[in-house]
Amino acid sequence: QVQLVESGGGLVQPGGSLRLSCAASGTIIRLNPMGWYRQAPGKQRELVAGISSGRTTNYADSVKGRFSISEDNAKNTVYLQMNSLKPEDTAVYYCDTWSLGRHYWGQGTQVTVSS
């Protein structure tokens, strides 16, 4: 059974940084595409950053230059480093993956950017 567990969210002031973690079990992340999404209240879930099966990365325009996705294969964990955070980055952040044709989501972690 594939499980994704996010952590690292919290309250941060504008301009601050956070690093989110997504620990995977039941699958090997380096074999799968991995992504970070976010959903703000009243809005649709949107892709923030992703790593393709070929290990290329992509980012939403709104976070380019501020966020960075990476992976630690030894820990089977994907990270989202978020710098220069803005109030509009406030959302629940989810990681996802596809494994053997099935789509999996984590439970999400809340990020709140506020002074």
Side-chain angles (χ1 to χ4, degrees), residues 29-84:
I29 63 168
R30 64 179 172 81
L31 301 179
N32 305 336
M34 302 293 300
W36 283 99
Y37 287 74
R38 66 186 180 189
Q39 188 166 21
K43 294 188 177 182
Q44 289 189 329
R45 193 171 295 190
E46 62 175 356
L47 176 67
V48 175
I51 299 177
S52 70
S53 297
R55 314 331 281 174
T56 57
T57 58
N58 62 287
Y59 298 91
D61 288 343
S62 58
V63 306
K64 281 181 181 176
R66 299 189 298 122
F67 291 12
S68 178
I69 188 170
S70 62
E71 57 187 352
D72 184 331
N73 293 323
K75 296 182 178 180
N76 214 35
T77 298
V78 175
Y79 301 99
L80 185 68
Q81 178 67 44
M82 305 186 296
N83 299 326
S84 302

Side-chain angles (χ1 to χ4, degrees), residues 93-104:
Y93 284 71
Y94 301 88
C95 69
D96 88 316
T97 191
W98 287 85
S99 178
L100 300 178
R102 295 187 63 181
H103 192 197
Y104 298 91

